[in-house]
Amino acid sequence: MQHVGRRGGHAATVGLAATAVGLVILVASRVGPRLRGATPTERAGPLPGDELVSAPTLVATHAITIDAPPATVWPWIAQIGQERAGFYSLAWVENLAGCRIVNADRIHPEWQSPALGDVVRLHPEIGLRIAVLQPGHSLVLSSQGAIDARGEQMAGQGFDFSWAFVVRADGEETRLLTRERYAAAGPAGALSTRLGASISTAMTAAMLRGVRTRCAGR
């Protein structure tokens, strides 16, 4: 499997930015409303895309209940991405790291047809691939085939990564789950995954609340 990484100066720049932003995020996550996370059954159960990182060193599963049907929730997931609808999270924090994200507050028809192999950028210099797609149900991003700002395959170092978004009916409501699976390559990769997971916990909490708020506004 292809490892995620940066080249030279990009690695140092992104790493320093992530560390600084991580401190801000961790503080912000403590003062905001707490996320009702995944249940033990949800954390232990399989999700689409688990096979992409078959031997993870770290797994983080998050979830939220949304008072809307899956057909209302899915369009918000279908259009995620740095160059599209954003991630409905703390854009001001993401933009401190140069993400240049603008979160959408409406459904964009032009972004409603994701396809396997499409690039979904997290940052202008980082693009992941859609590796699993079940329209209306699941979308999974993978570091396999990740590209840089020039569209070239990123150098291999650090860790493997998958990021799943799963929409499930829960009576008349929807359960929205996310799962990150990391496979670290060596001590440096292990440190990167721990930092990344800590940052992601706060960002994911804000993202899930952001999706819930947008669904309530429709």
Side-chain angles (χ1 to χ4, degrees):
M1 180 176 287
Q2 181 68 31
H3 296 303
V4 174
R6 282 300 72 71
R7 290 192 180 95
H10 291 310
T13 300
V14 174
L16 289 172
T19 300
V21 171
L23 295 175
V24 176
I25 293 170
L26 291 175
V27 172
S29 70
R30 292 181 179 276
V31 300
R34 294 299 181 117
L35 174 70
R36 289 185 178 181
T39 66
T41 299
E42 289 169 335
R43 289 195 297 270
L47 287 182
D50 281 356
E51 69 281 1
L52 298 171
V53 180
S54 58
T57 54
L58 190 154
V59 177
T61 304
H62 307 281
I64 195 169
T65 297
I66 298 175
D67 186 14
T72 296
V73 178
W74 173 256
W76 297 100
I77 302 304
Q79 65 184 18
I80 61 171
Q82 178 265 334
E83 296 178 308
R84 297 185 285 184
F87 295 95
Y88 320 119
S89 190
L90 306 175
W92 68 272
V93 174
E94 294 165 327
N95 292 337
L96 288 177
C99 290
R100 302 204 297 270
I101 284 176
V102 177
N103 288 324
D105 289 319
R106 67 179 179 88
I107 299 301
H108 288 257
E110 68 272 26
W111 294 331
Q112 289 303 304
S113 300
L116 284 174
D118 280 359
V119 173
V120 175
R121 288 197 176 274
L122 310 184
H123 183 282
E125 297 183 1
I126 306 171
L128 304 183
R129 297 280 183 182
I130 298 179
V132 176
L133 180 65
Q134 296 173 280
H137 175 58
S138 61
L139 184 154
V140 186
L141 305 178
S142 172
S143 62
Q144 298 181 54
I147 63 172
D148 61 19
R150 294 171 293 186
E152 298 177 359
Q153 188 162 321
M154 294 170 64
Q157 61 180 2
F159 55 90
D160 296 328
F161 175 67
S162 66
W163 192 11
F165 300 85
V166 179
V167 174
R168 287 179 174 170
D170 185 16
E172 296 183 353
E173 299 178 318
T174 297
R175 196 73 171 147
L176 174 59
L177 298 95
T178 71
R179 174 172 291 168
E180 299 147 55
R181 290 168 68 88
Y182 302 83
L191 178 61
S192 295
T193 59
R194 286 196 296 271
L195 174 61
S198 296
I199 294 172
S200 181
T201 293
M203 295 303 290
T204 299
M207 178 184 185
L208 295 181
R209 290 194 298 266
V211 174
R212 181 176 63 186
T213 297
R214 285 164 172 80
C215 289
R218 294 196 67 195

